[in-house]
Amino acid sequence: MNFTRWSARLPGTQRRNSAAQAARAAAAQAQQTSGSPADGAGGDDESGGVADGANPESSGSVPAARAERRADPAAPEAEPGGRSAQTGHAAPSVLSDSERRSAEAAVAAWAPGTATATENSSAHVTRSIDALSVHDLLGQVPALAAVVHGADHRIAYVNDAYTAVFGPRTQGDAARDALPELVELGLLPLMDQVLRSGKPRTVKSRRVPRTADSRDSRDAFYTFTCTPITADGENGVLIFAAEVTDQVEAAERLRASERRQREAAVTLQRSLLPQELEQPDDLRVAATYQPGGTEAAVGGDWYDVITLGAGRTALVIGDVMGRGVRAAAVMGQLRTAVRAYARLDLPPHEVLQLLDGLAAEIDPSQIATCVYAVHDPNEGLLHYASAGHPPIIVCDAAGTVQRAPEPTGPPLGTGGWVHASSSLPLPPGGSAVLYTDGLVERRDADIDTGVHTLEQAFAGATGSPDIVCDRLLRSLGITAEHDDDVAVLVLQHPARTGPDAELFHNAALDLLGGTEAAPRARAFATGVLSSWRFPRELQDLGVLAASELVANSLQHGIPPMRLRLRRTNRRLIVEVTDGDEHLPRRCAAEAADEAGRGISIVATIASAWGSRRTPGGGKSVWCEFALPTA
């Protein structure tokens, strides 16, 4: 296929060929008029055709142009002198100025000999742009534009868009007096900086009130750019303002949506946290939660205090990785599960083992850290298990700080790992703090540095647990703009002195077994409860509970056995321990049964009862009675 002939049929190609042909005819006419025809471009031949020197084939045109030339034999051909070969009159001009320039450009593209015409055309366009004035360049721009010059920023020009927003301005006046809007927007100091530095400056999203006659009641927002310019040896500033009202409003709608989502997440988070902490008899506890700054999504930090009975208390703190409502929802499920597992009175590592499996079922992509600790006032110890959580910090009465060792297991949700328990001393007069990583972790420092800072702050913090929480937040630099959630749980085991000490007593009796164990236990309980000056009715109930628990241990347990009586300011606790690990169950005894009613009797007369396995093997069965209020 002849590509040249095929491409000539395209409309664009035909126009270029026609334009080139007309341009050559015009050039030949100009040469003949000047009396100096080009070589080989002599007069017409006898047939009225084009001379050989002007033959299109020799000028480099494509064959398609020749075909178009011969397509209409009846059409008159123009002579080189611009006359018709048939009439002899001058051929009328059919090209306008713009068409002629286009033809010259097309000829330059097809015929290298016409490059001079193209250069002349380009020079003409360049001169036309250079000749444009400020009015021509900025007058039709929809953005606000103003030109000032001199140290006092005298007005040289304002365009129509500027006048439409701020009203007309008089040229030659100083900007401080004639452009009060720039003063209100704080642009004059910026313009001074531009003059001094010779560098442009930009201020974004400045509010500009609408005029009274404006059809739009919304305030407008403009981004102002001040650019240094120089004219006639004097420095000036071009002030250019583009309206960004739609962008600002869209950004504000997005921020409002994010605020609503964050508020919903914070509301959910706080509703899932304890509304009021349980206050154990032997501990003073306080906690605080602070969500991340306004630009940060809420996380999944949580804490809890759970009374287990027999004077023991479980303390929990955890952190679900991630942000937003999803993290808060996972946190709520984990916190509920912890409270349920705590009722089983399991060792800390077994609670975390159960929680690990549940976390993997809730959401395999979510990982959480957690510390579960149990305080036993009889032992003066804090038993705990840590699933990848920052260490507990304990401070004794002398101010000596001790940090818990490394976590006893990996974070929750990883699965397949075995957790372990450990213990820290927490005697009377001691205190401890549990916290999430938001308190000690910083982007520019190692987490150990933050933990060390916390240790120093905790060693010097005094006062109630609420005051200690606030002091720790201030010492660690936690403000409302902090970029991470923070949860802190402080517990104190106060040393009882004076009248307060009279409300807390302990008494214990080792039972060696045999037939005399039960009478000894009843006699011991009667004497102790009488010395504690309990009401007669409460003494009888306490003695009956001690007798039944000892009898149950003698029948189903193994030595060593021990009876412990304990009173606090709010309850009486009766506890019996032995070496057998099988936990008792409450069952319904038949009328003819001679045994099986001991636990049912205890559950009926006591406020609460329970049992658990002890760390060294064996079990503990306990019950408690609420003391009458004064």
Side-chain angles (χ1 to χ4, degrees), residues 233-367:
E234 187 175 18
N235 295 330
V237 178
L238 167 63
I239 304 164
F240 190 86
E243 185 173 1
V244 292
T245 304
D246 292 340
Q247 295 90 320
V248 170
E249 292 182 348
E252 180 57 34
R253 288 194 296 270
L254 178 60
R255 286 192 293 269
S257 176
E258 292 175 346
R259 284 195 299 269
R260 289 193 296 269
Q261 293 179 6
R262 183 179 183 278
E263 290 171 359
V266 171
T267 301
L268 175 62
Q269 174 87 347
R270 291 193 181 279
S271 65
L272 294 174
L273 291 174
Q275 303 304 306
E276 185 176 353
L277 286 179
E278 298 182 24
Q279 293 296 327
D281 296 347
D282 295 274
L283 296 177
R284 292 186 296 186
V285 183
T288 183
Y289 169 75
Q290 180 171 309
T294 56
E295 300 299 326
V298 67
D301 295 16
W302 93 92
Y303 56 83
D304 207 349
V305 177
I306 308 166
T307 55
L308 301 178
R312 300 164 68 251
T313 306
L315 305 116
V316 192
I317 195 162
D319 184 3
V320 177
M321 305 303 175
R323 300 279 184 175
V325 175
R326 180 58 184 168
V330 173
M331 176 274 292
Q333 296 178 75
L334 292 179
R335 175 177 175 262
T336 302
V338 168
R339 293 192 70 88
Y341 295 148
R343 297 303 176 190
L344 300 176
D345 214 342
L346 299 172
H349 67 277
E350 293 188 20
V351 172
L352 290 190
Q353 203 74 45
L354 294 172
L355 204 61
D356 180 39
L358 179 64
E361 294 177 5
I362 293 175
D363 189 345
S365 63
Q366 289 280 8
I367 295 178

Side-chain angles (χ1 to χ4, degrees), residues 486-537:
V486 175
V488 180
L489 177 63
V490 173
L491 60 142
Q492 296 176 344
H493 185 194
R496 311 289 179 177
T497 58
D500 192 27
E502 296 298 323
L503 302 177
F504 293 82
H505 291 288
N506 283 281
L509 174 66
D510 291 328
L511 301 173
L512 302 178
T515 56
E516 75 282 358
R520 288 184 63 226
R522 286 193 291 270
F524 175 77
T526 302
V528 169
L529 298 181
S530 298
S531 66
W532 289 347
R533 299 180 181 179
F534 284 142
R536 184 67 184 179
E537 181 181 359

Side-chain angles (χ1 to χ4, degrees), residues 319 321 352 356 359 366-370 386-389 407 409-415 417 419:
D319 184 3
M321 305 303 175
L352 290 190
D356 180 39
Q366 289 280 8
I367 295 178
T369 63
C370 179
S386 173
H389 202 80
L412 303 176
T414 55
W417 296 87
H419 293 265

Side-chain angles (χ1 to χ4, degrees), residues 9-11 113 115 211 220 222 265 289 403 411 419 434 523 590:
R9 298 192 185 116
L10 298 177
T211 58
Y222 289 87
Y289 169 75
R403 182 193 306 187
H419 293 265
L434 290 74
E590 299 293 338

